[in-house]
Amino acid sequence: MSLSHAVLTSLIEKSSSGYDLARRFDKSIGYFWHATHQQIYRELARMEAAGWIESSSAPDAGKTRKREYRVLDAGRAELARWASEPSPPMDLRDEFMVKLRADAALGELDLRGELLRRIALHRERLAHYREIEQHDFLHGKPLSREARIHHMILKKGILYEEGEIAWNGEMLGMLG
Amino acid sequence: MSLSHAVLTSLIEKSSSGYDLARRFDKSIGYFWHATHQQIYRELARMEAAGWIESSSAPDAGKTRKREYRVLDAGRAELARWASEPSPPMDLRDEFMVKLRADAALGELDLRGELLRRIALHRERLAHYREIEQHDFLHGKPLSREARIHHMILKKGILYEEGEIAWNGEMLGMLG
DNA sequence: TGCTCCATGTAACACGTTACATGATTGC
DNA sequence: GCAATCATGTAACGTGTTACATGGAGCA
């Protein structure tokens, strides 16, 4: 399992509440590892029970229940252990490829509208990633090792979106 | 859910036993939609109960329990219905990106060995896909609509593997 | 005889998704 | 005052993974 490790990583980057983590999982880390807030709260409870993290009422809690989670040494050690072991490559699970194959098997279903929708969506994401890249990584100042790694991860997202746009465009040409 | 629809598609392409389906999910359709044999048996049982497919003792069963599943009209209708509705883009879930981010946050973990391993693996897959492409799609004879769609799907796999190799190579350069 | 592959399944558990619930704070 | 957002959770269910079980067929 690596949701717990994704949460650990995110918490090392910045101690936070479950709610803040959930929002961060809708951005940055969530671009390649999605999670709902329920999953995150579940993991936080488990990791606290395991002694990987600790929590206390958040500094800015006021009268709310807001808690802040911090990573303990045991958590850091576990993350380092996990990150150093080999992992299987991600497996693709692309519903749309199944649909294309269904189209091929059944005869014409006309998936062109869907292709157009997907192209628009990937273009939008690409534009968003490029904005982040401009702002965070292409400002000319030298980048830390950490920033260079983050840049490479973002570039992977950019390459992925570009690939999707190109391939979907070619597919559209074929079906058109 | 679309495991059931992936199974339906595969069954329309060719009526088969659960076991044969499971092996096909380790190849072709499995390149972008993985499933274990238990999942497949579970889905077959459900779909038979729902009246989407029917089964009988396989023609080549002999004294074994081998069964053959066939798609019924209700199954075809369901597949067409599902394929025509919009679907969310696939979400990436790449463990290695989490590891890189953990490396960035914790300090040096030395993921170069893992990068080399991944490059070798993607090269192998790429070679395999290219062989299939040569054999099935680049023989010079004209291709049916069905074959052209299958070719595009395979090309997506090829582009993906090429992208992985290039990006992992660049990452290796950065960490080296 | 023993090994591997074919073929189907049960059971238990881990993970992911969806719906619902609760109460405080912020902005109009 | 009302709606939206912040913040945390419970419950139920669906999907995915792992381990184990069973028995026939083919082969050395």
Side-chain angles (χ1 to χ4, degrees):
Chain A
M1 218 276 294
S2 39
L3 174 54
S4 52
H5 300 94
V7 173
L8 270 182
T9 301
S10 204
L11 272 184
I12 285 176
E13 289 168 2
K14 186 168 183 352
S15 296
S16 355
S17 65
Y19 190 87
D20 286 341
L21 276 170
R23 276 192 316 179
R24 265 193 280 157
F25 268 78
D26 281 341
K27 296 187 301 219
S28 61
I29 223 165
Y31 295 142
F32 50 83
W33 202 280
H34 174 263
T36 62
H37 79 273
Q38 291 83 349
Q39 281 177 276
I40 288 166
Y41 284 121
R42 191 150 69 187
E43 283 311 318
L44 287 172
R46 277 182 209 171
M47 292 197 292
E48 188 159 25
W52 294 0
I53 60 176
E54 60 171 13
S55 71
S56 53
S57 188
D60 60 337
K63 281 168 190 165
T64 70
R65 287 193 291 171
K66 187 173 186 178
R67 301 192 68 69
E68 187 186 78
Y69 290 87
R70 287 170 301 281
V71 180
L72 298 174
D73 284 345
R76 266 168 226 279
E78 167 56 25
L79 184 59
R81 187 202 60 72
W82 169 80
S84 299
E85 75 187 11
S87 44
M90 138 171 110
D91 49 292
L92 308 172
R93 185 156 280 216
D94 193 341
E95 207 169 289
F96 191 63
M97 294 304 108
V98 178
K99 291 188 176 179
L100 274 170
R101 235 173 131 125
D103 182 20
L106 289 170
E108 313 251 354
L109 290 171
D110 198 2
L111 298 171
R112 283 175 296 178
E114 183 67 358
L115 278 165
L116 287 168
R117 210 180 59 83
R118 292 167 74 86
I119 289 170
L121 193 142
H122 288 297
R123 270 202 233 276
E124 210 177 292
R125 285 199 192 168
L126 177 58
H128 180 217
Y129 291 176
R130 285 209 171 122
E131 251 177 61
I132 297 174
E133 190 185 30
Q134 279 301 326
H135 184 266
D136 291 359
F137 303 113
L138 300 179
H139 43 52
K141 282 172 259 176
L143 299 173
S144 65
R145 173 186 148 86
E146 191 177 358
R148 277 180 290 138
I149 291 176
H150 286 183
H151 187 196
M152 280 301 293
I153 293 172
L154 181 62
K155 270 208 232 173
K156 193 159 197 240
I158 290 174
L159 288 168
Y160 172 72
E161 300 302 336
E162 288 173 341
E164 284 294 310
I165 293 164
W167 184 89
N168 280 283
E170 196 181 337
M171 190 74 233
L172 190 62
M174 205 214 93
L175 291 180
Chain B
M1 216 277 292
S2 40
L3 173 54
S4 53
H5 300 95
V7 173
L8 269 182
T9 302
S10 204
L11 272 184
I12 285 176
E13 289 170 359
K14 186 171 182 348
S15 296
S16 356
S17 67
Y19 190 86
D20 287 340
L21 277 169
R23 276 192 315 178
R24 264 194 279 157
F25 267 78
D26 280 341
K27 297 187 301 217
S28 59
I29 223 165
Y31 294 142
F32 50 84
W33 201 280
H34 173 264
T36 61
H37 79 275
Q38 290 82 348
Q39 282 177 277
I40 288 166
Y41 284 122
R42 191 151 68 188
E43 283 311 320
L44 286 172
R46 277 182 209 170
M47 292 196 292
E48 189 160 22
W52 295 0
I53 59 176
E54 59 171 13
S55 71
S56 52
S57 187
D60 60 337
K63 281 167 191 168
T64 70
R65 287 192 292 171
K66 188 173 186 178
R67 302 192 67 71
E68 189 187 79
Y69 291 86
R70 286 171 302 281
V71 180
L72 298 174
D73 284 345
R76 266 168 227 279
E78 167 57 25
L79 185 58
R81 186 202 60 73
W82 169 80
S84 298
E85 77 188 10
S87 44
M90 136 172 112
D91 48 291
L92 306 172
R93 183 154 283 215
D94 195 340
E95 208 169 289
F96 192 63
M97 294 304 108
V98 179
K99 291 189 176 181
L100 274 170
R101 237 173 129 125
D103 181 20
L106 288 170
E108 314 251 354
L109 290 170
D110 199 1
L111 297 171
R112 284 175 296 176
E114 184 67 358
L115 279 166
L116 286 168
R117 210 179 60 81
R118 291 168 74 87
I119 289 169
L121 193 141
H122 288 297
R123 270 204 233 276
E124 211 176 291
R125 285 199 192 168
L126 177 58
H128 179 216
Y129 291 175
R130 285 206 171 125
E131 252 177 61
I132 296 173
E133 189 184 31
Q134 278 301 324
H135 184 267
D136 291 359
F137 303 112
L138 300 178
H139 44 51
K141 282 171 258 176
L143 297 173
S144 66
R145 174 186 148 87
E146 190 178 358
R148 277 181 290 138
I149 291 176
H150 286 184
H151 187 195
M152 281 302 294
I153 293 173
L154 181 62
K155 271 209 232 173
K156 192 157 197 242
I158 289 173
L159 289 168
Y160 172 71
E161 300 302 336
E162 287 173 343
E164 285 293 310
I165 293 165
W167 185 88
N168 279 282
E170 195 179 339
M171 191 73 232
L172 189 62
M174 205 215 94
L175 292 180

